[in-house]
Amino acid sequence: MTKTAQRGLLLLLCACSDSLPPPPPPPPPPTVAQVGQWSAVQAAPIVQLHLHLLPDGKVLSWGRVGDPQLWDPATGTFTAVPSPSRLFCAGHDFLPDGRLFVAGGHIRDRYGLPNANVFDPGTATWQALPPMAAGRWYPTTMTLPNGDVLTLAGTDSAAADVTIPEVWDGTSWRQLTGAGFALPYYPRTFVAPDGRVFYAGEGRQSLYLDVTGAGRWTGGPQRLFGTRNYGSAVMYEPGKILYVGGGDPPTNTAEIIDLNEPNPVWRSTGSMRFRRRQMDATLLPTGEVLVTGGTEGSGFNNPVGAVHVAELWNPATGRWTRMASNRVTRIYHGTTLLLPDGRLLHAGSGDAGGTVDELNFELYSPPYLFQGPRPTMTGTVPGVVGYGDTVVVETPDAAGIAKVALIRLGSVTHALDQGQRLVPLTFSQAANGVSIAFPASGMIAPPGPYMLFLVNGTGVPSKGQIVLLRP
């Protein structure tokens, strides 16, 4: 091609480019009504690696170092509440009367204390109980349908696996000598609809534990994915469990099981956008599950690959949606807790594991807090309700209520909320409000403290009212 032809072609191309329309503008950033909003980072006196919402609305937390602390969301203040023994890496759940039961604790890494303690929110004091037969470090503790408390797994004062579960009946401990079995740290266990305890992982083989008599394990279905260590599991409806993330390298996959079926099996549900290990899954009043924190990096606790984007799982569709991103890397020991006002407290990370000690927390406001007026409860909501009770809750928004949710108060550590479950309640219209039927038995909702939420047809929840569900 001659130089003259080249100049002509260049002029032609320039003329064509001048006549092309400009590219479209980039899409607008998502709104807070779509992805929610994170608060500024706020200081805390300890690494909050054990988090508990108390029946008075305050939050009790402790870490590896320092005294346990009471945080008052109304004032933002922290108050030290020294404990009788060192609680780091203990197990915990709420008793039927609303006190927090704590089993085990820390001598040094892998060496567990046999101590048991109770925290009374009414007096902000601790009470030491008779010790267990064995020390426990990284045990799971859970309240049973009759109000007894099961503690299983962990390592003892010689760093050996504790294979015999123990049950606290309010006065003394009994050992389930017929149920000796070595489980991973902090096993993900839930009360099944038939009253047995269902072990969902971290191992791949599911199991059932019958706590009557000397106790007995029986086999359950195998999960689809292998070992989901430091993944998170929740019971999003009675008998229905979501298990997500975990593994090394981490996975983004998730699976569900329905224990109400005659022959339950694990099934795949949608996968997260991000692979995660050391993350938290938290139930929302809408029935959705929010996942926060974690890392995509291989190894035990790799900050390279830390995930800041939250993701929301919809049980109706099985799909995940990206939410807003928090600021602080939260991996081992990060924690997340639902508050009565519908926000989530996201804290911790560090205090071991070779990562930064995060003496701070963030608050997440989900999209539902930006999607219109919230339903309100007027009048007095009973502080104590019994199994099978029907209660009329006054609300001017009765005609728009589409769901009533009961969520057990959170007690969170190590990617596990040890009592977390959501129970949808049946309801009907009543004069000046809604008539709500509470669960018939502790197999659906073990006794203890719960938050009661009204949710309208657009998915906006009321503030939660804390009630004690008692026999």
Side-chain angles (χ1 to χ4, degrees), residues 174-395:
R174 67 181 176 93
Q175 293 184 281
L176 301 184
T177 54
F181 192 75
L183 291 168
Y185 285 143
Y186 283 128
R188 276 59 170 154
T189 53
F190 302 87
V191 173
D194 64 4
R196 292 181 296 172
V197 172
F198 180 73
Y199 164 70
E202 298 173 337
R204 187 175 183 183
Q205 178 65 56
S206 300
L207 300 167
Y208 289 93
L209 173 63
D210 183 341
V211 300
T212 59
R216 184 171 68 99
W217 289 100
T218 53
Q222 276 203 341
R223 279 192 296 94
L224 303 175
F225 187 83
T227 301
R228 287 189 180 271
N229 49 340
Y230 289 98
S232 199
V234 299
M235 184 172 275
Y236 62 93
E237 284 187 21
K240 298 181 180 181
I241 297 167
L242 166 74
Y243 207 142
V244 58
D248 185 12
T251 181
N252 65 344
T253 63
E255 49 192 300
I256 55 176
I257 191 170
D258 185 353
L259 302 179
N260 301 290
E261 296 176 347
N263 297 294
V265 294
W266 288 94
R267 299 181 175 91
S268 293
T269 186
S271 295
M272 298 179 292
R273 167 63 180 80
F274 298 93
R275 296 177 290 115
R276 297 180 194 251
R277 174 185 169 93
Q278 309 289 3
M279 31 76 83
D280 283 283
T282 309
L283 291 165
L284 301 185
T286 55
E288 297 162 305
V289 178
L290 186 79
V291 163
T292 45
T295 177
E296 292 194 291
S298 297
F300 177 71
N301 188 44
N302 190 350
V304 177
V307 183
H308 293 253
V309 178
E311 296 187 66
L312 188 68
W313 182 72
N314 185 328
T317 64
R319 295 177 180 173
W320 296 86
T321 304
R322 290 179 60 149
M323 296 288 111
S325 299
N326 77 307
R327 292 171 175 80
V328 177
T329 292
R330 301 199 190 274
I331 39 180
Y332 182 81
H333 302 90
T335 46
T336 306
L337 183 74
L338 177 68
L339 300 175
D341 64 8
R343 295 181 300 169
L344 293 98
L345 172 62
H346 190 42
S349 194
D351 250 7
T355 50
V356 175
D357 292 346
E358 296 295 352
L359 301 167
N360 56 65
F361 65 91
E362 300 163 272
L363 293 164
Y364 177 65
S365 297
Y368 54 57
L369 294 179
F370 305 97
Q371 293 174 349
R374 306 182 71 172
T376 57
M377 301 185 206
T378 55
T380 302
V381 176
V384 180
V385 294
Y387 288 107
D389 283 358
T390 298
V391 174
V392 174
V393 174
E394 295 182 4
T395 172

Side-chain angles (χ1 to χ4, degrees), residues 29-210:
T31 66
V32 292
Q34 294 171 308
V35 299
Q37 184 178 67
W38 288 92
S39 72
V41 179
Q42 302 177 53
I46 59 172
V47 176
Q48 296 173 282
L49 66 89
H50 294 259
L51 280 182
H52 320 274
L53 175 63
L54 302 177
D56 61 2
K58 295 179 182 178
V59 175
L60 176 67
S61 63
W62 64 79
R64 185 186 183 105
V65 178
D67 289 326
Q69 298 283 328
L70 270 180
W71 176 63
D72 187 344
T75 63
T77 57
F78 285 87
T79 304
V81 283
S83 55
S85 56
R86 196 171 179 190
L87 307 178
F88 174 60
C89 293
H92 29 73
D93 197 0
F94 288 95
L95 295 172
D97 62 7
R99 293 179 299 161
L100 181 71
F101 184 91
V102 183
H106 186 72
I107 299 172
R108 61 184 186 274
D109 287 356
R110 297 183 298 281
Y111 293 76
L113 290 170
N115 300 55
N117 299 286
V118 169
F119 183 79
D120 186 344
T123 59
T125 58
W126 291 93
Q127 175 190 359
L129 300 178
M132 296 176 287
R136 293 185 190 264
W137 192 78
Y138 276 61
T140 291
T141 299
M142 59 187 303
T143 301
L144 300 171
N146 67 351
D148 290 352
V149 183
L150 170 71
T151 299
L152 70 168
T155 47
D156 65 15
S157 57
D161 285 336
V162 184
T163 60
I164 303 297
E166 297 185 61
V167 175
W168 171 256
D169 66 4
T171 303
S172 60
W173 291 95
R174 67 181 176 93
Q175 293 184 281
L176 301 184
T177 54
F181 192 75
L183 291 168
Y185 285 143
Y186 283 128
R188 276 59 170 154
T189 53
F190 302 87
V191 173
D194 64 4
R196 292 181 296 172
V197 172
F198 180 73
Y199 164 70
E202 298 173 337
R204 187 175 183 183
Q205 178 65 56
S206 300
L207 300 167
Y208 289 93
L209 173 63
D210 183 341

